[in-house]
Every structure is written in structure tokens, then in C-alpha cells.
Amino acid sequence: MRERPRVVVSVGASVDGKVALTRDALLMHQPSLDLWGAMTPRAADPVPLDILDVLRQQYGCNAILEGSGSLVAEHEIPEELPTYDGDTAGLYQHFLPPDITGQPSPPHMWFTVVDSRGRVRWTEKHHNWDALVLVAGSTPADYLAYLRRERICYLVVGEERVDLARGIAAMGTELGISCVLSTAGGGLNGAMLRAGLIDELHLTLAPALIGGLGTPSVMDGPPLAVGESPTRLQLLSVHTDTGGSVRLHYVVTES
């Protein structure tokens, strides 16, 4: 019996498995956004697929997962926050206001970000979506106070860093989340791979090569230990189009 939400990874990559153009170029910013889009020629027979919509129908998926590195570049210095001078003990408890967490889902959805360092500054709001931040005991109190002022939900899961297994489990027990769609980068997806948290993979390959030592890939993070077996996958489907893209759907096998 499953004791945590199902985790499905959906990622687009070049044929050599790169998910960015360089280590420090965020795909959400220009010129990377246009350059990435130009890697795939317009197909004569495109078959659009909304992975989130598919997972909503299959598993009742109601959460997306991202890493803070997808939103804030490593070299970027976030806006300084006001110093919190109160008692910090209460900050290191889950912050889940009932008027937010009690909304019916669907249509309510969670945009979840792993951010133990407190780097993301939240400037956007979208209808039927709320932010959820996974933080740790090491997260600065100033950041937790900021999240509370902005009424942004968070889960404290881990000590020095976010414990992903605890975080995914808490999303289920605390918020009733049944399925999580990860659209994160290689660092977070690689960490989830090592933690044994990935159940399915949707991989779309663009007909292009990027290369580059250190350029983020589909799964980064800690390497396999000597003698450790790779995670085995079972292929469920393949789709190709005349533009040269290949869409692969795998499920993680038990053995």
C-alpha cells in the first residue's frame, strides 16, 4: 500500500540529456527561453500533451514541485528581508492556515518549492493556486516570518536541509495531496531519485545537442555508490513527431 503521494517527473531535455543551456542560465529568463524553444522545429503532426491534466485524471494530482534553483539563479542575491526580533520557536512549526488548506481540490492546486535557504521572493498569485514551501530547521527565521506575513504555507521537514521523503509524505498527511508532478531541474530530481521517491518519468527529447561539462542534466545529484544498481524503468509509451521530438513515458520497476 502506498504511504506517500505518487511522484511523477516530467522533464524536457536535449538528446544528450541536458535540461538547461548553461549552469547559470535560467530557462524562465531571456535569451534562454527563446533559444530553448527554437531547439524543436515546428512539427507537421504535433500531438500536444498536458501532463498535469493527464495526471489530474489518472491520480487526482494536485501539486507541482520545483526547486528554488529554477526560480532564483545561484549567483543572484535575493532582496533582504526585515529582521525578525520575536520568539522564533513558533516559526519552526508547519504554517497551514485553514482558510487556505481547506479549499476543495480540485480546483485548488499547490505550487511547491524546496527552499531551505529562503531564497525565493513570492511576487505572483494565480487563481486556484497557492504556494507551498518546504523548509528546514536551518531556514532563516526572517524568511519564515516573511512567509507568514505573506500567508504562504510551509512545511518544516528536516534539520539542516529539506528531507525530501518527509516532505513528500507530509504533503500527503497534512494536505491530502495524492500525486506530485515534479517539473524541477536535475539537482532536485536527482536527489529524489537517490531517495527512491520517483514513480514515473515523462521525458521529452528535443532534436538538439547542448553538451558542456557541468551543464544540468535530467538527473544530477549524488552519484551511485560503487556496486549500487541503477534505477530500472519499464517503457510504457513512445511518441515521435516530424519535428524530431521524442516523448517517452516510463514507470519505475520494483526490481
Side-chain angles (χ1 to χ4, degrees):
M1 179 180 296
R2 183 172 302 278
E3 297 180 353
R4 59 165 175 81
R6 189 172 193 83
V7 176
V8 180
V9 172
S10 178
V11 61
S14 60
V15 169
D16 55 334
K18 303 300 184 181
V19 296
L21 300 173
T22 68
R23 175 160 294 282
D24 296 324
L26 296 183
L27 289 184
M28 296 182 181
H29 296 171
Q30 296 292 6
S32 297
L33 184 63
D34 286 344
L35 290 171
W36 187 269
M39 291 197 316
T40 302
R42 186 179 298 276
D45 60 343
V47 180
L49 177 67
D50 186 332
I51 299 294
L52 180 56
D53 186 56
V54 170
L55 296 180
R56 278 171 165 166
Q57 296 180 42
Q58 286 184 333
Y59 307 121
C61 185
N62 51 353
I64 283 180
L65 180 67
E66 276 285 358
S68 61
S70 296
L71 306 177
V72 183
E74 189 62 34
H75 66 271
E76 186 175 341
I77 300 176
E79 178 185 353
E80 188 173 353
L81 297 171
T83 301
Y84 182 76
D85 57 5
D87 183 1
T88 62
L91 296 177
Y92 291 91
Q93 306 293 327
H94 299 334
F95 181 63
L96 303 170
D99 62 312
I100 299 177
T101 61
Q103 298 177 76
S105 179
H108 184 256
M109 300 286 292
W110 295 100
F111 183 78
T112 311
V113 171
V114 179
D115 191 15
S116 61
R117 292 185 293 167
R119 292 173 51 77
V120 178
R121 302 295 181 263
W122 297 90
T123 58
E124 297 185 17
K125 293 185 180 294
H126 298 276
H127 183 60
N128 286 330
W129 286 84
D130 275 289
L132 173 67
V133 187
L134 303 185
V135 298
S138 62
T139 303
D142 296 348
Y143 186 67
L144 300 182
Y146 157 75
L147 293 179
R148 288 181 177 243
R149 286 195 303 272
E150 296 295 320
R151 293 186 57 75
I152 295 172
C153 295
Y154 63 80
L155 294 168
V156 184
V157 284
E159 299 305 324
E160 291 301 316
R161 62 183 62 187
V162 169
D163 182 320
L164 291 172
R166 282 179 57 186
I168 296 295
M171 291 171 70
T173 56
E174 299 291 339
L175 297 168
I177 291 171
S178 59
C179 171
V180 178
L181 171 61
S182 173
T183 55
L188 179 54
N189 284 334
M192 289 197 297
L193 175 69
R194 291 290 174 259
L197 294 173
I198 297 176
D199 299 298
E200 293 184 34
L201 170 66
H202 289 265
L203 177 62
T204 301
L205 298 176
L209 294 170
I210 294 175
L213 183 65
T215 302
S217 66
V218 174
M219 298 284 167
D220 290 331
L224 284 172
V226 175
E228 185 178 4
S229 297
T231 298
R232 298 183 63 182
L233 305 174
Q234 177 186 346
L235 181 64
L236 297 183
S237 67
V238 179
H239 172 77
T240 62
D241 64 34
T242 56
S245 293
V246 180
R247 190 169 67 233
L248 304 163
H249 181 200
Y250 294 96
V251 64
V252 174
T253 63
E254 296 296 329
S255 58

